[in-house]
Amino acid sequence: MTVSIVGAGPGDPGLITVKALQLVRDCEVLVYDRLVATELVAQAVGAARISRDGLNQEEVNELLVHHGRRGRRVVRLKGGDPFIFGRGAEEAEALAAAGISYEVVPGVSTLTAVPALAGIPLTSRDVAAQVTVLTGTNADGTELDYDRLAGTPGTLVIFMGLRRLEHIADELILAGRPVGEGAAVISRLSLPDAEVRTATLGTIARAAEGLRSPAVVVIGDVVHALRLREVLAA
């Protein structure tokens, strides 16, 4: 395999998969995201290590194609799972269009790992049987469908929504989501400076002031299941 699109997990270098770590150690070229742990980047001993900072997606695609065409062992190391809001599919499409063989190595996704580490189950019998995952802003710049989201049962998980949290919460409430529903912001969990703040949908924006990205927002009755959360976090 020439190019491996690899998930690094939610931040803690210990949460990378065994296969992913071996690929990083064996690669000749490592293209990595800013949020990938420095300890993992350091595992690519002897490899050309290229940060994607300052590169747009098209330039990243071209970089992977360039090295892949030369038969080099390339690892594209991405935070979380490469196919969950990671744009890994775009990179796979670029490689396929160029006729370059590739593989996808899933990572432990932020979607499931971060709430679990915070002691918040996304589903729980008699509390929530459904999970809806979204980003805080649509790719085309349009507004979220707040009417649909307000009427969606179960748990909402919002990626990249911290900066717009007050607006998102207000719009959900206006659309009918209960103002007293549980809400949490989980900031940089699995990293040393992690913080978790819980409140209600009506107060979560104020409670989350000062938190740093990356952060995941969880909205739903699972957040108010405090006894269960305390048991899991113990």
Side-chain angles (χ1 to χ4, degrees):
M1 199 61 63
T2 302
V3 179
S4 299
I5 302 172
V6 177
D12 180 347
L15 294 176
I16 194 171
T17 66
V18 173
K19 181 174 182 178
L21 182 58
Q22 192 59 55
L23 286 168
V24 170
R25 288 172 172 168
D26 291 343
C27 73
E28 296 174 293
V29 179
L30 179 72
V31 182
Y32 62 94
D33 284 348
R34 175 176 55 87
L35 295 176
V36 169
T38 56
E39 295 93 331
L40 294 179
V41 176
Q43 293 292 317
V45 177
R49 292 179 282 193
I50 305 169
S51 171
R52 75 141 297 162
D53 270 7
L55 302 177
N56 61 36
Q57 189 60 54
E58 184 177 351
E59 290 169 330
V60 172
N61 294 350
E62 291 173 354
L63 188 64
L64 299 178
V65 169
H66 170 81
H67 289 291
R69 278 182 173 152
R70 283 151 183 79
R72 294 168 184 148
R73 297 189 303 278
V74 182
V75 167
R76 173 68 177 103
L77 191 59
K78 307 170 75 69
D81 182 276
F83 275 16
I84 299 181
F85 300 130
R87 304 189 72 171
E90 296 173 45
E91 295 166 0
E93 288 173 358
L95 291 165
I100 297 168
S101 60
Y102 70 90
E103 65 176 336
V104 177
V105 180
V108 177
S109 175
T110 300
L111 166 63
T112 54
V114 165
L117 290 169
I120 299 174
L122 295 183
T123 62
S124 179
R125 193 171 64 173
D126 299 329
V127 178
Q130 179 174 319
V131 180
T132 302
V133 188
L134 61 146
T135 59
T137 305
N138 286 328
D140 60 3
T142 60
E143 272 289 7
L144 302 176
D145 187 346
Y146 292 106
D147 289 334
R148 181 178 61 82
L149 292 171
T152 300
T155 307
L156 300 181
V157 180
I158 306 173
F159 283 64
M160 297 170 279
L162 182 59
R163 292 183 180 179
R164 301 184 72 237
L165 183 53
E166 183 175 8
H167 174 75
I168 291 170
D170 286 348
E171 292 297 325
L172 285 172
I173 292 166
L174 287 172
R177 199 95 187 181
V179 67
E181 186 174 23
V185 177
I186 309 164
S187 168
R188 300 178 64 80
L189 204 61
S190 87
L191 301 174
D193 56 349
E195 289 189 70
V196 180
R197 298 183 189 172
T198 60
T200 65
L201 185 57
T203 60
I204 189 60
R206 185 165 62 252
E209 288 179 358
L211 289 181
R212 298 172 59 200
S213 295
V216 173
V217 178
V218 179
I219 298 169
D221 291 336
V222 290
V223 177
H224 271 165
L226 291 180
R227 185 188 63 78
L228 180 57
R229 180 170 175 262
E230 289 165 1
V231 167
L232 291 175

